[in-house]
Amino acid sequence: MPRSLGLLLFSAVLLIGWSPHAAHAQAAGTGVGVSLGTTNSSAAVTQHPVGFAAKTWLSDRQAVAGMTSFYIGGTQTQGGPQQRTVVDPSYWLLQGDYLFHNFNELEVEEGYLALYVGAGAQVTILEDRNNQFALRVPVGADYMLGSAPIDIFVEVAPTLNVTDPAGFRFDGAIGFRYFFSAGEGSSE
């Protein structure tokens, strides 16, 4: 897994470093970054590795956000005298959310702190198994630095898996994104 993390971080640095656009941390533009997720699920897919995160502002209070990650599974032997082989499936996870932000509730000395809530979906493409589809309701906080084009976010998402195995769980994520300007007419 460290090799995948290194490749992911290297790709993010290249993307940020080669951008010809100016950047800002306001509620405008598009941001890309990294997130680390977790879940309380007891299903086969419980590994949430580091993934790519993206967010695009549609207005000063609404945005769409997405995340993708993957896990390369394998087999492992568990147990003592009665050993058994456990197979962790490889998978690719895609999720997208429509978010509503509130900047009025919390004030900070520098930058902006927004609370948000949204609705979204998650698709998990599994190796050698049925794919999964889930509905999510992310609730979180997004801190946009005042002097840098970076935001830091943390969220919890009640998630309803509607495919087999159906079930309810809580997903969580923490991460950051680097924002690029929305163009000449954007507000900073």
Coordinates of all heavy atoms in Angstrom, one line a residue, residues 107-179:
E107 N -17.6 31.5 12.8 CA -16.7 32.5 12.3 C -15.3 32.1 12.7 O -15.1 31.6 13.8 CB -17.1 33.9 12.8 CG -18.4 34.4 12.2 CD -18.6 35.8 12.5 OE1 -17.7 36.6 12.9 OE2 -19.8 36.2 12.5
V108 N -14.3 32.4 11.9 CA -12.9 32.1 12.2 C -12.1 33.4 11.9 O -12.6 34.3 11.1 CB -12.3 31.0 11.4 CG1 -12.9 29.6 11.8 CG2 -12.5 31.1 9.9
E109 N -10.9 33.6 12.5 CA -10.2 34.8 12.3 C -9.7 34.9 10.9 O -9.6 36.0 10.4 CB -9.0 34.8 13.3 CG -9.4 35.0 14.8 CD -8.2 35.1 15.7 OE1 -7.1 35.5 15.2 OE2 -8.4 34.7 16.8
E110 N -9.2 33.8 10.3 CA -8.7 33.9 9.0 C -9.4 32.8 8.1 O -9.5 31.7 8.6 CB -7.2 33.7 9.0 CG -6.6 33.8 7.6 CD -5.1 33.6 7.6 OE1 -4.4 33.8 8.6 OE2 -4.5 33.3 6.5
G111 N -9.7 33.1 6.9 CA -10.3 32.1 6.0 C -11.8 32.0 6.3 O -12.5 32.9 6.8
Y112 N -12.4 30.9 5.9 CA -13.8 30.7 6.0 C -14.1 29.3 6.5 O -13.4 28.3 6.1 CB -14.5 30.8 4.6 CG -14.2 32.1 3.9 CD1 -13.2 32.3 3.0 CD2 -15.0 33.2 4.2 CE1 -12.9 33.5 2.4 CE2 -14.8 34.4 3.6 CZ -13.7 34.6 2.7 OH -13.5 35.8 2.1
L113 N -15.1 29.1 7.3 CA -15.5 27.8 7.8 C -16.9 27.6 7.5 O -17.8 28.4 8.0 CB -15.2 27.7 9.3 CG -15.6 26.4 10.0 CD1 -14.7 25.2 9.4 CD2 -15.3 26.4 11.5
A114 N -17.2 26.6 6.7 CA -18.6 26.3 6.3 C -19.0 24.9 6.8 O -18.2 24.0 6.8 CB -18.7 26.3 4.8
L115 N -20.3 24.8 7.3 CA -20.9 23.6 7.6 C -21.6 23.2 6.3 O -22.1 24.0 5.6 CB -21.9 23.7 8.8 CG -21.2 24.1 10.1 CD1 -22.3 24.3 11.1 CD2 -20.2 23.1 10.5
Y116 N -21.7 21.9 6.0 CA -22.4 21.5 4.8 C -23.2 20.2 5.0 O -22.9 19.4 5.9 CB -21.5 21.4 3.6 CG -20.4 20.3 3.7 CD1 -20.7 19.0 3.3 CD2 -19.1 20.6 4.1 CE1 -19.7 18.0 3.4 CE2 -18.2 19.6 4.1 CZ -18.5 18.3 3.8 OH -17.5 17.4 3.8
V117 N -24.2 20.0 4.2 CA -25.0 18.8 4.2 C -25.3 18.6 2.7 O -25.3 19.5 1.9 CB -26.3 19.0 5.0 CG1 -27.2 20.0 4.4 CG2 -27.0 17.6 5.1
G118 N -25.5 17.3 2.3 CA -25.8 17.0 0.9 C -26.5 15.7 0.7 O -26.9 15.0 1.7
A119 N -26.6 15.3 -0.5 CA -27.1 14.0 -0.9 C -26.3 13.5 -2.0 O -25.8 14.3 -2.9 CB -28.6 14.2 -1.3
G120 N -26.0 12.2 -2.0 CA -25.2 11.6 -3.1 C -25.3 10.1 -3.2 O -26.2 9.5 -2.6
A121 N -24.5 9.6 -4.0 CA -24.5 8.2 -4.3 C -23.1 7.6 -4.3 O -22.1 8.4 -4.5 CB -25.2 7.9 -5.6
Q122 N -22.9 6.3 -4.1 CA -21.6 5.7 -4.1 C -21.8 4.3 -4.9 O -22.7 3.6 -4.7 CB -21.2 5.4 -2.7 CG -19.9 4.8 -2.6 CD -19.5 4.5 -1.1 OE1 -20.0 3.5 -0.5 NE2 -18.8 5.4 -0.5
V123 N -20.9 4.1 -5.8 CA -20.8 2.9 -6.6 C -19.5 2.2 -6.2 O -18.4 2.8 -6.3 CB -20.9 3.1 -8.1 CG1 -20.7 1.8 -8.9 CG2 -22.2 3.8 -8.4
T124 N -19.6 0.9 -5.9 CA -18.4 0.1 -5.6 C -18.3 -1.0 -6.6 O -19.2 -1.9 -6.7 CB -18.4 -0.4 -4.2 OG1 -18.6 0.6 -3.3 CG2 -17.0 -1.1 -3.9
I125 N -17.3 -1.1 -7.4 CA -17.1 -2.1 -8.5 C -16.1 -3.1 -7.9 O -15.0 -2.8 -7.6 CB -16.5 -1.5 -9.8 CG1 -17.5 -0.4 -10.3 CG2 -16.3 -2.6 -10.8 CD1 -17.0 0.4 -11.4
L126 N -16.7 -4.3 -7.6 CA -15.9 -5.4 -6.9 C -15.4 -6.4 -7.9 O -16.0 -6.8 -8.9 CB -16.9 -6.1 -5.9 CG -17.3 -5.3 -4.7 CD1 -18.6 -5.8 -4.1 CD2 -16.2 -5.3 -3.7
E127 N -14.2 -7.0 -7.6 CA -13.6 -8.1 -8.3 C -14.4 -9.4 -8.0 O -14.5 -9.7 -6.8 CB -12.2 -8.1 -8.0 CG -11.5 -9.3 -8.6 CD -10.0 -9.5 -8.0 OE1 -9.8 -9.2 -6.8 OE2 -9.2 -9.9 -8.8
D128 N -14.8 -10.1 -9.0 CA -15.5 -11.4 -8.9 C -16.7 -11.4 -7.9 O -17.0 -12.4 -7.3 CB -14.4 -12.4 -8.3 CG -13.3 -12.6 -9.3 OD1 -13.5 -12.4 -10.5 OD2 -12.2 -12.9 -8.8
R129 N -17.4 -10.3 -7.8 CA -18.6 -10.2 -7.0 C -19.5 -9.2 -7.6 O -19.2 -8.5 -8.5 CB -18.2 -9.8 -5.5 CG -17.3 -10.8 -4.8 CD -17.2 -10.4 -3.4 NE -16.2 -11.3 -2.8 CZ -16.0 -11.3 -1.5 NH1 -16.7 -10.6 -0.7 NH2 -15.0 -12.1 -1.0
N130 N -20.7 -9.2 -7.0 CA -21.7 -8.2 -7.5 C -21.3 -6.8 -7.0 O -20.9 -6.7 -5.9 CB -23.1 -8.5 -6.9 CG -23.7 -9.8 -7.5 OD1 -23.3 -10.2 -8.6 ND2 -24.6 -10.5 -6.8
N131 N -21.5 -5.9 -7.9 CA -21.2 -4.5 -7.6 C -22.2 -4.0 -6.6 O -23.2 -4.5 -6.4 CB -21.1 -3.6 -8.8 CG -20.1 -4.1 -9.8 OD1 -19.1 -4.6 -9.4 ND2 -20.3 -3.9 -11.1
Q132 N -21.8 -2.9 -5.9 CA -22.7 -2.3 -4.9 C -23.1 -0.9 -5.2 O -22.3 -0.2 -5.8 CB -22.0 -2.4 -3.5 CG -21.7 -3.8 -3.0 CD -21.0 -3.8 -1.7 OE1 -20.6 -2.8 -1.1 NE2 -20.8 -5.0 -1.2
F133 N -24.3 -0.5 -4.8 CA -24.7 0.9 -4.9 C -25.3 1.3 -3.6 O -26.0 0.6 -3.0 CB -25.8 0.9 -6.0 CG -26.4 2.3 -6.2 CD1 -25.7 3.3 -6.9 CD2 -27.6 2.7 -5.7 CE1 -26.2 4.5 -7.1 CE2 -28.1 3.9 -5.8 CZ -27.4 4.9 -6.6
A134 N -25.0 2.6 -3.2 CA -25.4 3.1 -1.9 C -25.8 4.6 -2.1 O -25.3 5.3 -2.9 CB -24.3 3.0 -0.9
L135 N -26.8 5.0 -1.2 CA -27.2 6.4 -1.1 C -26.5 7.0 0.1 O -26.5 6.3 1.1 CB -28.7 6.5 -1.1 CG -29.4 5.9 -2.3 CD1 -30.9 5.9 -2.0 CD2 -29.1 6.7 -3.5
R136 N -26.1 8.2 0.0 CA -25.4 8.8 1.2 C -25.9 10.2 1.5 O -26.4 10.9 0.6 CB -23.9 9.0 0.9 CG -23.3 8.4 -0.2 CD -21.8 8.7 -0.5 NE -21.2 9.9 -0.1 CZ -20.4 10.0 0.9 NH1 -19.9 9.0 1.5 NH2 -19.9 11.2 1.2
V137 N -25.8 10.6 2.7 CA -26.1 12.0 3.2 C -24.9 12.5 3.9 O -24.9 12.4 5.1 CB -27.4 12.0 4.0 CG1 -27.7 13.4 4.5 CG2 -28.6 11.3 3.3
P138 N -24.0 13.2 3.2 CA -22.8 13.7 3.9 C -23.1 14.9 4.7 O -23.8 15.8 4.3 CB -21.8 14.0 2.8 CG -22.7 14.2 1.6 CD -23.9 13.3 1.8
V139 N -22.5 15.0 5.9 CA -22.6 16.2 6.8 C -21.2 16.5 7.2 O -20.5 15.5 7.7 CB -23.5 15.8 8.0 CG1 -23.5 17.0 9.0 CG2 -24.9 15.4 7.6
G140 N -20.8 17.7 7.1 CA -19.4 18.0 7.4 C -19.0 19.4 7.6 O -19.9 20.3 7.6
A141 N -17.8 19.7 7.8 CA -17.2 21.0 7.9 C -16.1 21.2 6.9 O -15.3 20.3 6.7 CB -16.7 21.2 9.3
D142 N -16.0 22.4 6.3 CA -15.0 22.7 5.3 C -14.3 24.0 5.7 O -15.0 25.0 5.7 CB -15.7 22.8 4.0 CG -14.8 22.8 2.8 OD1 -13.5 22.8 3.0 OD2 -15.3 22.9 1.6
Y143 N -13.0 23.9 6.0 CA -12.3 25.1 6.3 C -11.4 25.6 5.1 O -10.6 24.8 4.7 CB -11.4 24.9 7.5 CG -10.5 26.1 7.9 CD1 -11.1 27.3 8.3 CD2 -9.1 26.0 7.8 CE1 -10.3 28.4 8.6 CE2 -8.3 27.1 8.1 CZ -8.9 28.3 8.5 OH -8.1 29.3 8.8
M144 N -11.7 26.7 4.6 CA -11.0 27.3 3.5 C -10.0 28.3 4.0 O -10.4 29.3 4.6 CB -11.9 27.9 2.5 CG -12.8 26.9 1.8 SD -14.3 27.5 1.2 CE -15.4 27.1 2.5
L145 N -8.7 28.1 3.8 CA -7.7 28.9 4.3 C -7.8 30.3 3.6 O -8.1 30.4 2.4 CB -6.3 28.4 4.0 CG -6.0 27.0 4.6 CD1 -4.7 26.4 4.1 CD2 -6.1 27.0 6.1
G146 N -7.5 31.4 4.4 CA -7.7 32.7 3.8 C -6.5 33.1 2.9 O -6.7 33.8 1.9
S147 N -5.3 32.6 3.2 CA -4.1 33.1 2.4 C -3.6 32.0 1.4 O -2.7 32.3 0.7 CB -3.0 33.4 3.4 OG -2.7 32.3 4.2
A148 N -4.3 30.9 1.4 CA -3.8 29.8 0.5 C -5.0 29.2 -0.2 O -6.1 29.2 0.3 CB -3.0 28.8 1.3
P149 N -4.8 28.7 -1.4 CA -5.9 28.1 -2.2 C -6.2 26.6 -1.8 O -6.3 25.8 -2.6 CB -5.4 28.1 -3.6 CG -3.9 28.0 -3.5 CD -3.6 28.7 -2.2
I150 N -6.3 26.4 -0.5 CA -6.5 25.1 0.0 C -7.7 25.0 1.0 O -7.9 26.0 1.7 CB -5.2 24.6 0.8 CG1 -4.0 24.5 -0.2 CG2 -5.4 23.3 1.5 CD1 -2.7 24.3 0.5
D151 N -8.4 23.9 0.9 CA -9.5 23.7 1.9 C -9.2 22.4 2.6 O -8.5 21.5 2.1 CB -10.9 23.8 1.4 CG -11.3 22.5 0.7 OD1 -10.5 21.7 0.3 OD2 -12.5 22.3 0.5
I152 N -9.6 22.3 3.9 CA -9.5 21.1 4.7 C -10.9 20.7 5.1 O -11.6 21.5 5.6 CB -8.6 21.3 5.9 CG1 -7.2 21.8 5.5 CG2 -8.5 20.1 6.8 CD1 -6.4 22.4 6.6
F153 N -11.2 19.4 4.9 CA -12.6 19.0 5.2 C -12.6 17.7 6.0 O -11.7 16.9 6.0 CB -13.4 18.8 3.9 CG -12.9 17.7 3.1 CD1 -13.5 16.4 3.2 CD2 -12.0 17.9 2.1 CE1 -13.0 15.3 2.4 CE2 -11.5 16.8 1.3 CZ -12.0 15.6 1.5
V154 N -13.7 17.6 6.8 CA -14.0 16.4 7.5 C -15.5 16.1 7.4 O -16.3 17.1 7.4 CB -13.6 16.5 9.0 CG1 -14.3 17.6 9.7 CG2 -13.8 15.2 9.7
E155 N -15.9 14.9 7.2 CA -17.3 14.6 7.0 C -17.7 13.2 7.6 O -16.8 12.4 7.7 CB -17.8 14.7 5.6 CG -17.3 13.6 4.7 CD -17.8 13.8 3.2 OE1 -18.1 14.9 2.8 OE2 -18.0 12.7 2.6
V156 N -19.0 13.1 7.9 CA -19.6 11.8 8.2 C -20.8 11.6 7.3 O -21.5 12.6 7.1 CB -20.0 11.8 9.7 CG1 -20.8 10.5 10.0 CG2 -18.8 11.9 10.6
A157 N -21.0 10.5 6.8 CA -22.1 10.2 5.9 C -22.8 9.0 6.2 O -22.4 7.9 6.0 CB -21.5 10.1 4.4
P158 N -24.1 9.2 6.8 CA -24.9 8.0 6.9 C -25.2 7.4 5.5 O -25.5 8.2 4.6 CB -26.2 8.6 7.5 CG -25.8 9.9 8.1 CD -24.7 10.4 7.3
T159 N -25.0 6.1 5.3 CA -25.0 5.5 4.0 C -25.9 4.3 4.0 O -25.7 3.4 4.9 CB -23.5 5.1 3.6 OG1 -22.7 6.3 3.7 CG2 -23.5 4.6 2.2
L160 N -26.8 4.2 3.0 CA -27.7 3.1 2.9 C -27.3 2.3 1.7 O -27.4 2.8 0.5 CB -29.1 3.6 2.8 CG -30.2 2.5 2.6 CD1 -30.2 1.6 3.8 CD2 -31.5 3.1 2.3
N161 N -26.8 1.1 1.9 CA -26.4 0.2 0.8 C -27.7 -0.4 0.3 O -28.4 -1.2 1.0 CB -25.4 -0.9 1.2 CG -24.6 -1.5 0.1 OD1 -24.4 -0.8 -0.9 ND2 -24.2 -2.7 0.2
V162 N -28.1 -0.2 -1.0 CA -29.4 -0.7 -1.5 C -29.2 -2.0 -2.3 O -30.2 -2.5 -2.7 CB -30.1 0.4 -2.3 CG1 -30.4 1.6 -1.5 CG2 -29.2 0.9 -3.5
T163 N -28.0 -2.4 -2.5 CA -27.8 -3.7 -3.2 C -27.4 -4.7 -2.2 O -27.0 -4.4 -1.1 CB -26.8 -3.5 -4.3 OG1 -25.6 -3.0 -3.8 CG2 -27.2 -2.7 -5.5
D164 N -27.4 -6.0 -2.6 CA -27.0 -7.1 -1.7 C -25.5 -7.0 -1.4 O -24.7 -6.9 -2.3 CB -27.4 -8.4 -2.4 CG -27.3 -9.6 -1.4 OD1 -27.6 -9.3 -0.2 OD2 -27.1 -10.7 -1.9
P165 N -25.1 -7.0 -0.2 CA -25.9 -7.1 1.0 C -26.4 -5.7 1.4 O -25.6 -4.7 1.6 CB -24.9 -7.6 2.1 CG -23.6 -7.1 1.6 CD -23.6 -7.1 0.1
A166 N -27.7 -5.5 1.5 CA -28.3 -4.3 1.9 C -28.0 -4.0 3.4 O -27.8 -4.9 4.2 CB -29.8 -4.3 1.7
G167 N -27.8 -2.7 3.7 CA -27.5 -2.4 5.1 C -27.2 -0.9 5.2 O -27.1 -0.2 4.3
F168 N -27.2 -0.5 6.5 CA -26.9 0.9 6.9 C -25.6 1.0 7.6 O -25.3 0.1 8.4 CB -28.1 1.4 7.8 CG -28.0 2.8 8.2 CD1 -28.3 3.8 7.3 CD2 -27.5 3.2 9.4 CE1 -28.2 5.1 7.6 CE2 -27.4 4.5 9.8 CZ -27.8 5.5 8.9
R169 N -24.8 2.0 7.2 CA -23.5 2.2 7.9 C -23.2 3.7 7.9 O -23.9 4.5 7.3 CB -22.4 1.5 7.1 CG -22.2 2.0 5.7 CD -21.1 1.3 5.0 NE -20.7 2.0 3.8 CZ -21.2 1.8 2.5 NH1 -22.1 0.8 2.4 NH2 -20.8 2.5 1.5
F170 N -22.1 4.0 8.6 CA -21.6 5.4 8.6 C -20.2 5.4 8.0 O -19.4 4.6 8.4 CB -21.5 5.9 10.0 CG -22.8 6.3 10.6 CD1 -23.5 5.3 11.4 CD2 -23.4 7.5 10.4 CE1 -24.8 5.6 11.9 CE2 -24.7 7.8 11.0 CZ -25.3 6.8 11.7
D171 N -20.1 6.2 7.0 CA -18.7 6.4 6.3 C -18.2 7.8 6.8 O -19.0 8.7 7.2 CB -18.8 6.5 4.8 CG -19.2 5.1 4.2 OD1 -19.1 4.1 4.9 OD2 -19.6 5.1 3.0
G172 N -16.9 7.9 6.9 CA -16.3 9.2 7.3 C -15.1 9.4 6.4 O -14.5 8.5 5.8
A173 N -14.7 10.7 6.3 CA -13.5 11.1 5.5 C -12.9 12.4 6.0 O -13.6 13.2 6.6 CB -13.9 11.3 4.0
I174 N -11.6 12.5 5.8 CA -10.9 13.7 6.1 C -10.0 13.9 5.0 O -9.5 13.0 4.4 CB -10.1 13.6 7.5 CG1 -9.5 15.0 7.8 CG2 -9.1 12.5 7.5 CD1 -9.0 15.0 9.2
G175 N -9.7 15.2 4.6 CA -8.9 15.4 3.4 C -8.6 16.9 3.2 O -9.0 17.7 3.9
F176 N -8.0 17.1 2.1 CA -7.7 18.5 1.6 C -7.8 18.6 0.1 O -7.7 17.6 -0.6 CB -6.3 19.0 2.1 CG -5.2 18.3 1.4 CD1 -4.6 18.9 0.2 CD2 -4.6 17.1 1.8 CE1 -3.6 18.3 -0.4 CE2 -3.6 16.5 1.2 CZ -3.1 17.1 0.0
R177 N -8.0 19.8 -0.4 CA -8.1 20.0 -1.8 C -7.4 21.4 -2.1 O -7.4 22.3 -1.4 CB -9.5 20.1 -2.3 CG -10.3 18.8 -2.2 CD -11.7 19.0 -2.6 NE -12.4 19.7 -1.6 CZ -13.4 19.1 -0.8 NH1 -13.8 17.9 -1.1 NH2 -14.0 19.8 0.1
Y178 N -6.7 21.4 -3.3 CA -6.1 22.6 -3.8 C -7.0 23.2 -4.9 O -7.4 22.5 -5.8 CB -4.7 22.3 -4.4 CG -3.9 23.4 -4.9 CD1 -3.1 24.1 -4.1 CD2 -4.1 23.8 -6.2 CE1 -2.3 25.2 -4.6 CE2 -3.4 24.9 -6.7 CZ -2.5 25.6 -5.9 OH -1.8 26.6 -6.4
F179 N -7.4 24.5 -4.8 CA -8.3 25.1 -5.7 C -7.7 25.9 -6.7 O -6.7 26.7 -6.5 CB -9.3 25.9 -4.9 CG -10.4 25.1 -4.3 CD1 -10.2 24.4 -3.1 CD2 -11.6 24.9 -5.0 CE1 -11.2 23.7 -2.6 CE2 -12.6 24.2 -4.4 CZ -12.4 23.5 -3.2

